[in-house]
Amino acid sequence: MIRCLAFALSLCTATTAYGQSCGGSFSGFVDALRQEAISRGHAPDRVNSFFASVRQDQSVLQADRRQGVFQKPFTEFARRLISSGRLNTGLAKSQQYDAVFERIEAEYGVPRGVLLAFWAFETDFGGFQGDYNTLNALVTLSHDCRRPELFRPQVFAALDLYQMGDFDPARTTGAWAGEIGMVQMLPQDIIDNGVDGDGDGHVDLKTSAPDALMSGGKMLQHLGWRAGEPWLQEVDVPDTLDWSKTGLRTTLPASEWAAMGVTPRLGQIRGDLPANILLPEGRKGPAFLAYPNFNVYFEWNQSYVYVLTAAYFANRLEGAPVFDAGNPDPGLSDGQMKQLQEKLAARGYDVGKIDGILGSGTRAAVQDVQQELGKPADAWPTPALLNAL
């Protein structure tokens, strides 16, 4: 699960003062990284030691290309990730590390449910943190020309951690995208937000839950988390709602949504905060009111279905009931979704990669087309919409 914004894909031929920014001979690419590291002030012998064992890892590239889990609709995705066992384990971890979570909320304003959900989804509470060699993963993804500007700086951040004694180029392992530890943080995240939560003098995100959780809390605060505010609230929406105003593109005061007939399933609507209405499976499926803190989730991960599920699971861990799945219209298969994306792209919409994933770009395009065709603009693509196009 990688935390990044969408990056341009046109850097394959770009160059820097240290050689080609991506692509070309892998050994030549690593030599250029060595030269740049030395120019940054690192001792040549330390640089050579750091890069001595690096290898290109084709399995990393295969993992990068295969993220089909995000093609699942929200209800199916959420039920797949949130089991009763995972919920019970989360509640047990909440008690086990109660003092740590109390400290996190006091210092960073992040509720325990939010971190517990990330801890569960990223590594199953530390049970599986990934077995990819981290340096190999970072250099392989830097050499690959899909997102080099994300990963190349992380190579040098890993070198900085190596200089601090907190990274072993031959033995440090983690996720295929280079994240390390129980809550999966990239090397620069660790440098910027790492916290020695257990007081042993080191930031160890792989074996120390206090370090990992405190670091995750600090990072969320750094990303803009607002203390004392909600992130996601399940709601009921009236049949008369203007569906074209739903989604991430239209933010209104929550009090206005309430005036339109939106009602909470639990608690009270925070009328003083701006909010969006999210309908992950259209107007007949589950409905949520998303507050400003929800946007922070997209700084952690760019998948709409992942962040919505993580935010909802945080609610469950804080005591909220199971969401009402409703009775949404049938969605599209993988092949149908790709056909839809192709048709939308042909009409001039930017849906990104034709990947069969209902991301924010595809949702926005669907909503616009629904309006053009006089259909309820709830951003949920159906076979009927595909046929109409």
Side-chain angles (χ1 to χ4, degrees), residues 346-358:
R347 294 170 76 102
Y349 289 102
D350 181 9
V351 297
K353 183 181 178 183
I354 307 299
D355 55 8
I357 297 175
L358 182 58

Side-chain angles (χ1 to χ4, degrees), residues 141-168:
L141 291 167
S142 300
H143 176 259
D144 184 44
C145 287
R146 197 160 86 85
R147 290 166 298 171
E149 64 275 50
L150 169 65
F151 295 105
R152 188 183 180 101
Q154 299 299 332
V155 174
F156 298 107
L159 175 56
D160 290 337
L161 288 175
Y162 173 63
Q163 294 279 64
M164 299 173 195
D166 291 329
F167 186 93
D168 185 330

